mmCIF file of all heavy atoms in Angstrom:
data_model
loop_
_atom_site.group_PDB
_atom_site.id
_atom_site.type_symbol
_atom_site.label_atom_id
_atom_site.label_comp_id
_atom_site.label_asym_id
_atom_site.label_seq_id
_atom_site.Cartn_x
_atom_site.Cartn_y
_atom_site.Cartn_z
ATOM 1 N N THR A 27 -34.063 26.447 -17.070
ATOM 2 C CA THR A 27 -35.449 26.059 -16.991
ATOM 3 C C THR A 27 -36.090 26.724 -15.774
ATOM 4 O O THR A 27 -36.775 27.694 -15.907
ATOM 5 C CB THR A 27 -35.607 24.508 -16.943
ATOM 6 O OG1 THR A 27 -34.778 24.000 -15.897
ATOM 7 C CG2 THR A 27 -35.198 23.907 -18.261
ATOM 8 N N TYR A 28 -35.822 26.208 -14.600
ATOM 9 C CA TYR A 28 -36.305 26.799 -13.366
ATOM 10 C C TYR A 28 -35.091 27.214 -12.533
ATOM 11 O O TYR A 28 -33.971 26.864 -12.842
ATOM 12 C CB TYR A 28 -37.120 25.787 -12.544
ATOM 13 C CG TYR A 28 -38.348 25.312 -13.240
ATOM 14 C CD1 TYR A 28 -38.402 24.059 -13.834
ATOM 15 C CD2 TYR A 28 -39.472 26.138 -13.340
ATOM 16 C CE1 TYR A 28 -39.538 23.617 -14.460
ATOM 17 C CE2 TYR A 28 -40.615 25.712 -13.967
ATOM 18 C CZ TYR A 28 -40.649 24.452 -14.528
ATOM 19 O OH TYR A 28 -41.763 24.051 -15.157
ATOM 20 N N ARG A 29 -35.351 27.952 -11.509
ATOM 21 C CA ARG A 29 -34.314 28.364 -10.560
ATOM 22 C C ARG A 29 -33.192 29.165 -11.221
ATOM 23 O O ARG A 29 -32.007 28.908 -11.027
ATOM 24 C CB ARG A 29 -33.735 27.119 -9.859
ATOM 25 C CG ARG A 29 -34.801 26.238 -9.234
ATOM 26 C CD ARG A 29 -34.251 25.030 -8.566
ATOM 27 N NE ARG A 29 -35.154 23.934 -8.426
ATOM 28 C CZ ARG A 29 -36.377 23.957 -7.911
ATOM 29 N NH1 ARG A 29 -36.904 25.069 -7.503
ATOM 30 N NH2 ARG A 29 -37.096 22.872 -7.793
ATOM 31 N N THR A 30 -33.545 30.157 -12.018
ATOM 32 C CA THR A 30 -32.559 30.906 -12.760
ATOM 33 C C THR A 30 -32.229 32.287 -12.191
ATOM 34 O O THR A 30 -31.474 33.030 -12.809
ATOM 35 C CB THR A 30 -32.975 31.062 -14.247
ATOM 36 O OG1 THR A 30 -34.234 31.697 -14.300
ATOM 37 C CG2 THR A 30 -32.996 29.715 -14.933
ATOM 38 N N HIS A 31 -32.802 32.629 -11.060
ATOM 39 C CA HIS A 31 -32.478 33.942 -10.461
ATOM 40 C C HIS A 31 -30.967 34.042 -10.265
ATOM 41 O O HIS A 31 -30.336 35.045 -10.574
ATOM 42 C CB HIS A 31 -33.156 34.145 -9.098
ATOM 43 C CG HIS A 31 -34.581 33.799 -9.058
ATOM 44 N ND1 HIS A 31 -35.136 33.090 -8.022
ATOM 45 C CD2 HIS A 31 -35.588 34.026 -9.926
ATOM 46 C CE1 HIS A 31 -36.418 32.906 -8.254
ATOM 47 N NE2 HIS A 31 -36.712 33.469 -9.403
ATOM 48 N N GLY A 32 -30.394 32.992 -9.651
ATOM 49 C CA GLY A 32 -28.948 32.991 -9.348
ATOM 50 C C GLY A 32 -28.097 33.038 -10.579
ATOM 51 O O GLY A 32 -27.031 33.655 -10.585
ATOM 52 N N HIS A 33 -28.549 32.400 -11.650
ATOM 53 C CA HIS A 33 -27.785 32.424 -12.909
ATOM 54 C C HIS A 33 -27.722 33.857 -13.422
ATOM 55 O O HIS A 33 -26.673 34.306 -13.889
ATOM 56 C CB HIS A 33 -28.439 31.516 -13.960
ATOM 57 C CG HIS A 33 -28.393 30.083 -13.607
ATOM 58 N ND1 HIS A 33 -29.321 29.479 -12.803
ATOM 59 C CD2 HIS A 33 -27.510 29.132 -13.953
ATOM 60 C CE1 HIS A 33 -29.018 28.210 -12.679
ATOM 61 N NE2 HIS A 33 -27.926 27.957 -13.371
ATOM 62 N N ALA A 34 -28.838 34.562 -13.367
ATOM 63 C CA ALA A 34 -28.853 35.957 -13.841
ATOM 64 C C ALA A 34 -27.897 36.806 -13.011
ATOM 65 O O ALA A 34 -27.105 37.564 -13.557
ATOM 66 C CB ALA A 34 -30.271 36.531 -13.769
ATOM 67 N N ILE A 35 -27.937 36.602 -11.701
ATOM 68 C CA ILE A 35 -27.060 37.379 -10.819
ATOM 69 C C ILE A 35 -25.602 37.043 -11.086
ATOM 70 O O ILE A 35 -24.751 37.935 -11.200
ATOM 71 C CB ILE A 35 -27.453 37.162 -9.360
ATOM 72 C CG1 ILE A 35 -28.844 37.775 -9.102
ATOM 73 C CG2 ILE A 35 -26.412 37.734 -8.391
ATOM 74 C CD1 ILE A 35 -29.473 37.363 -7.775
ATOM 75 N N ALA A 36 -25.320 35.769 -11.206
ATOM 76 C CA ALA A 36 -23.938 35.318 -11.450
ATOM 77 C C ALA A 36 -23.423 35.829 -12.807
ATOM 78 O O ALA A 36 -22.213 36.060 -12.928
ATOM 79 C CB ALA A 36 -23.842 33.806 -11.379
ATOM 80 N N ARG A 37 -24.304 35.995 -13.758
ATOM 81 C CA ARG A 37 -23.867 36.484 -15.086
ATOM 82 C C ARG A 37 -23.769 38.012 -15.103
ATOM 83 O O ARG A 37 -23.363 38.603 -16.104
ATOM 84 C CB ARG A 37 -24.845 36.047 -16.166
ATOM 85 C CG ARG A 37 -24.789 34.593 -16.510
ATOM 86 C CD ARG A 37 -23.537 34.260 -17.304
ATOM 87 N NE ARG A 37 -23.578 34.854 -18.624
ATOM 88 C CZ ARG A 37 -23.003 34.345 -19.674
ATOM 89 N NH1 ARG A 37 -22.344 33.222 -19.601
ATOM 90 N NH2 ARG A 37 -23.077 34.967 -20.849
ATOM 91 N N GLY A 38 -24.182 38.671 -14.016
ATOM 92 C CA GLY A 38 -23.989 40.126 -13.941
ATOM 93 C C GLY A 38 -25.241 40.952 -13.982
ATOM 94 O O GLY A 38 -25.161 42.177 -13.942
ATOM 95 N N THR A 39 -26.415 40.344 -14.044
ATOM 96 C CA THR A 39 -27.657 41.129 -13.995
ATOM 97 C C THR A 39 -27.792 41.713 -12.596
ATOM 98 O O THR A 39 -27.581 40.998 -11.602
ATOM 99 C CB THR A 39 -28.864 40.241 -14.340
ATOM 100 O OG1 THR A 39 -28.655 39.658 -15.615
ATOM 101 C CG2 THR A 39 -30.156 41.046 -14.322
ATOM 102 N N ASP A 40 -28.148 42.951 -12.498
ATOM 103 C CA ASP A 40 -28.295 43.626 -11.218
ATOM 104 C C ASP A 40 -29.391 42.903 -10.387
ATOM 105 O O ASP A 40 -30.503 42.737 -10.870
ATOM 106 C CB ASP A 40 -28.716 45.091 -11.468
ATOM 107 C CG ASP A 40 -28.847 45.907 -10.203
ATOM 108 O OD1 ASP A 40 -28.819 45.348 -9.085
ATOM 109 O OD2 ASP A 40 -28.998 47.133 -10.334
ATOM 110 N N PRO A 41 -29.064 42.465 -9.185
ATOM 111 C CA PRO A 41 -30.058 41.794 -8.362
ATOM 112 C C PRO A 41 -31.341 42.594 -8.138
ATOM 113 O O PRO A 41 -32.425 42.034 -8.023
ATOM 114 C CB PRO A 41 -29.327 41.555 -7.014
ATOM 115 C CG PRO A 41 -27.885 41.593 -7.379
ATOM 116 C CD PRO A 41 -27.754 42.544 -8.523
ATOM 117 N N LYS A 42 -31.211 43.934 -8.138
ATOM 118 C CA LYS A 42 -32.393 44.771 -7.981
ATOM 119 C C LYS A 42 -33.341 44.592 -9.164
ATOM 120 O O LYS A 42 -34.564 44.591 -9.007
ATOM 121 C CB LYS A 42 -32.008 46.243 -7.818
ATOM 122 C CG LYS A 42 -31.306 46.513 -6.512
ATOM 123 C CD LYS A 42 -30.870 47.937 -6.424
ATOM 124 C CE LYS A 42 -30.100 48.182 -5.141
ATOM 125 N NZ LYS A 42 -29.604 49.527 -5.037
ATOM 126 N N ARG A 43 -32.790 44.425 -10.368
ATOM 127 C CA ARG A 43 -33.613 44.212 -11.564
ATOM 128 C C ARG A 43 -34.279 42.825 -11.530
ATOM 129 O O ARG A 43 -35.399 42.662 -11.974
ATOM 130 C CB ARG A 43 -32.779 44.376 -12.839
ATOM 131 C CG ARG A 43 -32.352 45.809 -13.068
ATOM 132 C CD ARG A 43 -31.692 45.997 -14.404
ATOM 133 N NE ARG A 43 -32.656 45.696 -15.467
ATOM 134 C CZ ARG A 43 -32.346 45.031 -16.586
ATOM 135 N NH1 ARG A 43 -31.094 44.629 -16.794
ATOM 136 N NH2 ARG A 43 -33.247 44.781 -17.497
ATOM 137 N N VAL A 44 -33.559 41.830 -11.006
ATOM 138 C CA VAL A 44 -34.126 40.477 -10.893
ATOM 139 C C VAL A 44 -35.265 40.511 -9.880
ATOM 140 O O VAL A 44 -36.358 39.972 -10.146
ATOM 141 C CB VAL A 44 -33.054 39.439 -10.507
ATOM 142 C CG1 VAL A 44 -33.677 38.045 -10.386
ATOM 143 C CG2 VAL A 44 -31.910 39.424 -11.536
ATOM 144 N N MET A 45 -35.065 41.156 -8.733
ATOM 145 C CA MET A 45 -36.134 41.259 -7.721
ATOM 146 C C MET A 45 -37.314 42.038 -8.254
ATOM 147 O O MET A 45 -38.459 41.670 -8.041
ATOM 148 C CB MET A 45 -35.595 41.884 -6.425
ATOM 149 C CG MET A 45 -36.554 41.791 -5.248
ATOM 150 S SD MET A 45 -36.898 40.110 -4.679
ATOM 151 C CE MET A 45 -35.424 39.771 -3.717
ATOM 152 N N ALA A 46 -37.028 43.114 -9.001
ATOM 153 C CA ALA A 46 -38.135 43.905 -9.608
ATOM 154 C C ALA A 46 -38.936 43.027 -10.532
ATOM 155 O O ALA A 46 -40.182 43.173 -10.611
ATOM 156 C CB ALA A 46 -37.557 45.121 -10.329
ATOM 157 N N GLU A 47 -38.288 42.132 -11.228
ATOM 158 C CA GLU A 47 -39.009 41.210 -12.113
ATOM 159 C C GLU A 47 -39.952 40.296 -11.331
ATOM 160 O O GLU A 47 -41.096 40.037 -11.775
ATOM 161 C CB GLU A 47 -37.992 40.374 -12.928
ATOM 162 C CG GLU A 47 -38.637 39.513 -13.986
ATOM 163 C CD GLU A 47 -39.364 40.349 -15.032
ATOM 164 O OE1 GLU A 47 -38.930 41.463 -15.349
ATOM 165 O OE2 GLU A 47 -40.384 39.855 -15.524
ATOM 166 N N LEU A 48 -39.503 39.846 -10.176
ATOM 167 C CA LEU A 48 -40.368 38.996 -9.347
ATOM 168 C C LEU A 48 -41.623 39.725 -8.868
ATOM 169 O O LEU A 48 -42.658 39.118 -8.639
ATOM 170 C CB LEU A 48 -39.589 38.483 -8.130
ATOM 171 C CG LEU A 48 -38.350 37.646 -8.397
ATOM 172 C CD1 LEU A 48 -37.748 37.138 -7.101
ATOM 173 C CD2 LEU A 48 -38.613 36.528 -9.341
ATOM 174 N N PHE A 49 -41.505 41.041 -8.767
ATOM 175 C CA PHE A 49 -42.631 41.866 -8.331
ATOM 176 C C PHE A 49 -43.463 42.361 -9.535
ATOM 177 O O PHE A 49 -44.436 43.086 -9.349
ATOM 178 C CB PHE A 49 -42.125 43.058 -7.534
ATOM 179 C CG PHE A 49 -41.799 42.719 -6.101
ATOM 180 C CD1 PHE A 49 -40.532 42.262 -5.806
ATOM 181 C CD2 PHE A 49 -42.711 42.837 -5.100
ATOM 182 C CE1 PHE A 49 -40.188 41.942 -4.507
ATOM 183 C CE2 PHE A 49 -42.387 42.496 -3.793
ATOM 184 C CZ PHE A 49 -41.107 42.057 -3.500
ATOM 185 N N GLY A 50 -43.062 41.972 -10.742
ATOM 186 C CA GLY A 50 -43.800 42.401 -11.913
ATOM 187 C C GLY A 50 -43.658 43.842 -12.260
ATOM 188 O O GLY A 50 -44.509 44.431 -12.917
ATOM 189 N N ARG A 51 -42.532 44.434 -11.881
ATOM 190 C CA ARG A 51 -42.316 45.862 -12.124
ATOM 191 C C ARG A 51 -41.686 46.109 -13.477
ATOM 192 O O ARG A 51 -40.929 45.296 -13.994
ATOM 193 C CB ARG A 51 -41.443 46.431 -11.003
ATOM 194 C CG ARG A 51 -42.167 46.445 -9.682
ATOM 195 C CD ARG A 51 -41.391 46.975 -8.531
ATOM 196 N NE ARG A 51 -40.193 47.724 -8.875
ATOM 197 C CZ ARG A 51 -39.269 48.082 -8.003
ATOM 198 N NH1 ARG A 51 -39.396 47.777 -6.732
ATOM 199 N NH2 ARG A 51 -38.210 48.758 -8.396
ATOM 200 N N GLU A 52 -41.953 47.264 -14.033
ATOM 201 C CA GLU A 52 -41.422 47.668 -15.333
ATOM 202 C C GLU A 52 -39.891 47.711 -15.350
ATOM 203 O O GLU A 52 -39.287 47.501 -16.393
ATOM 204 C CB GLU A 52 -42.000 49.046 -15.705
ATOM 205 C CG GLU A 52 -41.559 49.566 -17.041
ATOM 206 C CD GLU A 52 -42.165 48.811 -18.230
ATOM 207 O OE1 GLU A 52 -43.223 48.212 -18.091
ATOM 208 O OE2 GLU A 52 -41.527 48.858 -19.322
ATOM 209 N N ASP A 53 -39.262 48.004 -14.214
ATOM 210 C CA ASP A 53 -37.801 48.068 -14.177
ATOM 211 C C ASP A 53 -37.154 46.698 -13.963
ATOM 212 O O ASP A 53 -35.968 46.586 -13.779
ATOM 213 C CB ASP A 53 -37.317 49.085 -13.113
ATOM 214 C CG ASP A 53 -37.843 48.761 -11.720
ATOM 215 O OD1 ASP A 53 -38.864 48.090 -11.583
ATOM 216 O OD2 ASP A 53 -37.178 49.228 -10.758
ATOM 217 N N GLY A 54 -37.951 45.634 -14.051
ATOM 218 C CA GLY A 54 -37.408 44.283 -13.980
ATOM 219 C C GLY A 54 -36.669 43.919 -15.256
ATOM 220 O O GLY A 54 -36.800 44.596 -16.282
ATOM 221 N N CYS A 55 -35.895 42.871 -15.183
ATOM 222 C CA CYS A 55 -35.059 42.492 -16.344
ATOM 223 C C CYS A 55 -35.854 42.031 -17.547
ATOM 224 O O CYS A 55 -35.346 42.047 -18.675
ATOM 225 C CB CYS A 55 -34.013 41.475 -15.963
ATOM 226 S SG CYS A 55 -34.641 39.999 -15.169
ATOM 227 N N SER A 56 -37.114 41.650 -17.348
ATOM 228 C CA SER A 56 -38.035 41.355 -18.486
ATOM 229 C C SER A 56 -39.195 42.319 -18.495
ATOM 230 O O SER A 56 -40.325 41.954 -18.921
ATOM 231 C CB SER A 56 -38.504 39.915 -18.399
ATOM 232 O OG SER A 56 -37.445 39.004 -18.529
ATOM 233 N N ARG A 57 -38.937 43.507 -17.975
ATOM 234 C CA ARG A 57 -39.930 44.594 -17.891
ATOM 235 C C ARG A 57 -41.197 44.172 -17.137
ATOM 236 O O ARG A 57 -42.307 44.612 -17.407
ATOM 237 C CB ARG A 57 -40.269 45.085 -19.286
ATOM 238 C CG ARG A 57 -39.029 45.599 -20.001
ATOM 239 C CD ARG A 57 -39.254 46.142 -21.345
ATOM 240 N NE ARG A 57 -39.926 47.428 -21.180
ATOM 241 C CZ ARG A 57 -40.424 48.115 -22.191
ATOM 242 N NH1 ARG A 57 -40.385 47.611 -23.413
ATOM 243 N NH2 ARG A 57 -41.001 49.261 -21.984
ATOM 244 N N GLY A 58 -41.010 43.268 -16.181
ATOM 245 C CA GLY A 58 -42.113 42.840 -15.305
ATOM 246 C C GLY A 58 -43.020 41.799 -15.927
ATOM 247 O O GLY A 58 -44.021 41.425 -15.302
ATOM 248 N N ARG A 59 -42.703 41.303 -17.078
ATOM 249 C CA ARG A 59 -43.601 40.363 -17.779
ATOM 250 C C ARG A 59 -43.221 38.897 -17.566
ATOM 251 O O ARG A 59 -43.998 38.016 -17.899
ATOM 252 C CB ARG A 59 -43.612 40.679 -19.270
ATOM 253 C CG ARG A 59 -44.226 42.028 -19.551
ATOM 254 C CD ARG A 59 -44.195 42.321 -21.033
ATOM 255 N NE ARG A 59 -44.820 43.598 -21.316
ATOM 256 C CZ ARG A 59 -44.157 44.752 -21.442
ATOM 257 N NH1 ARG A 59 -42.858 44.771 -21.304
ATOM 258 N NH2 ARG A 59 -44.799 45.868 -21.702
ATOM 259 N N GLY A 60 -42.032 38.665 -17.102
ATOM 260 C CA GLY A 60 -41.559 37.269 -16.993
ATOM 261 C C GLY A 60 -41.712 36.625 -15.647
ATOM 262 O O GLY A 60 -41.809 35.435 -15.512
ATOM 263 N N ALA A 61 -41.684 37.463 -14.597
ATOM 264 C CA ALA A 61 -41.736 36.999 -13.195
ATOM 265 C C ALA A 61 -40.585 36.000 -12.948
ATOM 266 O O ALA A 61 -39.562 36.048 -13.620
ATOM 267 C CB ALA A 61 -43.097 36.400 -12.883
ATOM 268 N N SER A 62 -40.775 35.137 -11.971
ATOM 269 C CA SER A 62 -39.713 34.205 -11.562
ATOM 270 C C SER A 62 -39.365 33.190 -12.640
ATOM 271 O O SER A 62 -38.238 32.757 -12.769
ATOM 272 C CB SER A 62 -40.134 33.486 -10.289
ATOM 273 O OG SER A 62 -39.190 32.507 -9.937
ATOM 274 N N MET A 63 -40.354 32.802 -13.394
ATOM 275 C CA MET A 63 -40.180 31.686 -14.326
ATOM 276 C C MET A 63 -39.540 32.086 -15.667
ATOM 277 O O MET A 63 -39.153 31.207 -16.441
ATOM 278 C CB MET A 63 -41.520 31.002 -14.578
ATOM 279 C CG MET A 63 -42.218 30.561 -13.344
ATOM 280 S SD MET A 63 -42.144 28.837 -13.001
ATOM 281 C CE MET A 63 -42.681 28.095 -14.485
ATOM 282 N N HIS A 64 -39.457 33.364 -15.960
ATOM 283 C CA HIS A 64 -38.972 33.805 -17.261
ATOM 284 C C HIS A 64 -37.966 34.937 -17.123
ATOM 285 O O HIS A 64 -38.154 36.018 -17.665
ATOM 286 C CB HIS A 64 -40.117 34.211 -18.157
ATOM 287 C CG HIS A 64 -41.117 33.110 -18.382
ATOM 288 N ND1 HIS A 64 -40.920 32.097 -19.273
ATOM 289 C CD2 HIS A 64 -42.310 32.873 -17.764
ATOM 290 C CE1 HIS A 64 -41.949 31.265 -19.217
ATOM 291 N NE2 HIS A 64 -42.788 31.720 -18.326
ATOM 292 N N ILE A 65 -36.894 34.669 -16.420
ATOM 293 C CA ILE A 65 -35.837 35.669 -16.260
ATOM 294 C C ILE A 65 -35.072 35.740 -17.580
ATOM 295 O O ILE A 65 -34.657 34.721 -18.134
ATOM 296 C CB ILE A 65 -34.852 35.300 -15.119
ATOM 297 C CG1 ILE A 65 -35.616 35.163 -13.782
ATOM 298 C CG2 ILE A 65 -33.708 36.262 -15.033
ATOM 299 C CD1 ILE A 65 -36.217 36.461 -13.266
ATOM 300 N N PHE A 66 -34.932 36.933 -18.119
ATOM 301 C CA PHE A 66 -34.315 37.113 -19.418
ATOM 302 C C PHE A 66 -33.452 38.367 -19.393
ATOM 303 O O PHE A 66 -33.899 39.393 -18.909
ATOM 304 C CB PHE A 66 -35.391 37.266 -20.511
ATOM 305 C CG PHE A 66 -34.834 37.572 -21.871
ATOM 306 C CD1 PHE A 66 -34.320 36.561 -22.643
ATOM 307 C CD2 PHE A 66 -34.847 38.857 -22.360
ATOM 308 C CE1 PHE A 66 -33.802 36.831 -23.902
ATOM 309 C CE2 PHE A 66 -34.359 39.136 -23.611
ATOM 310 C CZ PHE A 66 -33.839 38.124 -24.396
ATOM 311 N N ASP A 67 -32.232 38.276 -19.855
ATOM 312 C CA ASP A 67 -31.349 39.434 -19.945
ATOM 313 C C ASP A 67 -30.476 39.248 -21.176
ATOM 314 O O ASP A 67 -29.459 38.554 -21.127
ATOM 315 C CB ASP A 67 -30.528 39.528 -18.689
ATOM 316 C CG ASP A 67 -29.723 40.836 -18.622
ATOM 317 O OD1 ASP A 67 -29.615 41.547 -19.661
ATOM 318 O OD2 ASP A 67 -29.200 41.153 -17.531
ATOM 319 N N LEU A 68 -30.904 39.814 -22.291
ATOM 320 C CA LEU A 68 -30.184 39.658 -23.564
ATOM 321 C C LEU A 68 -28.752 40.158 -23.456
ATOM 322 O O LEU A 68 -27.821 39.538 -24.011
ATOM 323 C CB LEU A 68 -30.923 40.357 -24.696
ATOM 324 C CG LEU A 68 -30.290 40.174 -26.079
ATOM 325 C CD1 LEU A 68 -30.233 38.716 -26.473
ATOM 326 C CD2 LEU A 68 -31.095 40.962 -27.095
ATOM 327 N N ALA A 69 -28.546 41.238 -22.720
ATOM 328 C CA ALA A 69 -27.195 41.804 -22.609
ATOM 329 C C ALA A 69 -26.228 40.814 -21.935
ATOM 330 O O ALA A 69 -25.031 40.864 -22.136
ATOM 331 C CB ALA A 69 -27.230 43.090 -21.808
ATOM 332 N N ARG A 70 -26.752 39.885 -21.132
ATOM 333 C CA ARG A 70 -25.939 38.899 -20.448
ATOM 334 C C ARG A 70 -26.081 37.512 -21.080
ATOM 335 O O ARG A 70 -25.669 36.524 -20.516
ATOM 336 C CB ARG A 70 -26.329 38.814 -18.979
ATOM 337 C CG ARG A 70 -26.321 40.110 -18.199
ATOM 338 C CD ARG A 70 -24.958 40.551 -17.854
ATOM 339 N NE ARG A 70 -24.790 41.758 -17.128
ATOM 340 C CZ ARG A 70 -25.286 42.963 -17.389
ATOM 341 N NH1 ARG A 70 -26.090 43.131 -18.387
ATOM 342 N NH2 ARG A 70 -25.012 44.028 -16.661
ATOM 343 N N CYS A 71 -26.733 37.460 -22.229
ATOM 344 C CA CYS A 71 -26.947 36.166 -22.953
ATOM 345 C C CYS A 71 -27.654 35.135 -22.099
ATOM 346 O O CYS A 71 -27.320 33.952 -22.100
ATOM 347 C CB CYS A 71 -25.612 35.590 -23.482
ATOM 348 S SG CYS A 71 -24.797 36.672 -24.684
ATOM 349 N N LEU A 72 -28.622 35.584 -21.304
ATOM 350 C CA LEU A 72 -29.345 34.714 -20.421
ATOM 351 C C LEU A 72 -30.793 34.564 -20.946
ATOM 352 O O LEU A 72 -31.484 35.566 -21.117
ATOM 353 C CB LEU A 72 -29.367 35.274 -18.992
ATOM 354 C CG LEU A 72 -30.179 34.452 -17.988
ATOM 355 C CD1 LEU A 72 -29.418 33.202 -17.625
ATOM 356 C CD2 LEU A 72 -30.444 35.274 -16.766
ATOM 357 N N GLN A 73 -31.174 33.353 -21.180
ATOM 358 C CA GLN A 73 -32.538 33.089 -21.644
ATOM 359 C C GLN A 73 -33.110 31.926 -20.863
ATOM 360 O O GLN A 73 -32.391 31.099 -20.335
ATOM 361 C CB GLN A 73 -32.551 32.755 -23.143
ATOM 362 C CG GLN A 73 -32.046 33.845 -24.016
ATOM 363 C CD GLN A 73 -32.023 33.441 -25.472
ATOM 364 O OE1 GLN A 73 -32.160 32.282 -25.793
ATOM 365 N NE2 GLN A 73 -31.840 34.404 -26.334
#
C-alpha cells in the first residue's frame, strides 16, 4: 500500500530506478508515472 520503496529494493529493483521514479523520470520503474505511491516492477512481481 504505502512505504514500498524498500520492498522494491529488497526484491531486486535497482535503487536508481526507484529514485528516478520519485523524480518522475522516464527511467523510473514505472516510467515516471507512479512516483512514490505507485512503485511497480512487473519483472520483480511487485505491485
Side-chain angles (χ1 to χ4, degrees):
T27 52
Y28 298 104
R29 307 179 202 310
T30 57
H31 314 136
H33 294 85
I35 293 168
R37 287 288 292 210
T39 304
D40 183 349
K42 291 177 183 177
R43 291 188 62 220
V44 179
M45 190 65 79
E47 187 61 34
L48 300 184
F49 282 86
R51 292 179 16 191
E52 181 70 24
D53 57 337
C55 54
S56 297
R57 301 181 74 189
R59 294 179 178 96
S62 175
M63 305 256 309
H64 302 281
I65 301 295
F66 175 80
D67 188 347
L68 184 60
R70 307 283 181 306
C71 297
L72 177 74
Q73 299 177 347

